[in-house]
Amino acid sequence: MKKLLCACAVLVTVEAVVQAKPLSRILAESGLSSEDFDLMGQYAAGLYERGTPKAGSSVQWSNSESGAAGTVRLQEASGNCVLLRHEATAGGKDKPILIHTRRCKNADGIWVLQP
């Protein structure tokens, strides 16, 4: 969870005009729980960890406990890196948030979050 939040700190993009707000406030206002972020990351990993990552592939996720749901799309696969687009809506919220993350496979074969 801490790794995902660190990644969001670098790569979060919210589909609204955001005035200088700290990441913690943006995430809190998103309404997404830590379990939602964990699910988002697990589903995203399924797009690039198994087989050859394919641009355009996507997966939907939902958390029945929080009511949150979203889609993860693998936007680009280049060399040993992938660019992911996460669109998620917290339970009870109307407006989704948009998060972009980039992961690259290191020499040990481990996918690592990149800035």
Side-chain angles (χ1 to χ4, degrees):
M1 178 61 202
K2 288 181 183 177
K3 290 180 185 178
L4 181 60
L5 288 178
C6 291
C8 293
V10 175
L11 302 166
V12 72
T13 305
V14 179
E15 279 197 7
V17 177
V18 177
Q19 297 175 356
K21 291 183 184 179
L23 177 63
S24 59
R25 179 177 284 170
I26 293 169
L27 293 176
E29 289 174 358
S30 77
L32 296 170
S33 69
S34 60
E35 290 81 16
D36 297 333
F37 282 105
D38 289 344
L39 275 173
M40 200 182 317
Q42 290 170 16
Y43 278 85
L47 295 173
Y48 56 82
E49 286 184 339
R50 291 178 230 122
T52 303
K54 295 181 183 163
S57 59
S58 65
V59 64
Q60 293 184 330
W61 62 271
S62 64
N63 184 343
S64 59
E65 291 183 25
S66 70
T71 302
V72 181
R73 176 173 301 279
L74 197 151
Q75 285 191 296
E76 182 181 327
S78 179
N80 64 338
C81 295
V82 295
L83 178 62
L84 300 158
R85 180 183 189 269
H86 307 262
E87 187 172 327
T89 305
K93 298 266 186 171
D94 293 330
K95 196 165 195 170
I97 64 164
L98 182 63
I99 302 169
H100 287 95
T101 59
R102 180 173 178 241
R103 290 194 176 260
C104 295
K105 193 182 244 187
N106 68 17
D108 295 327
I110 298 169
W111 288 91
V112 180
L113 213 51
Q114 298 290 312

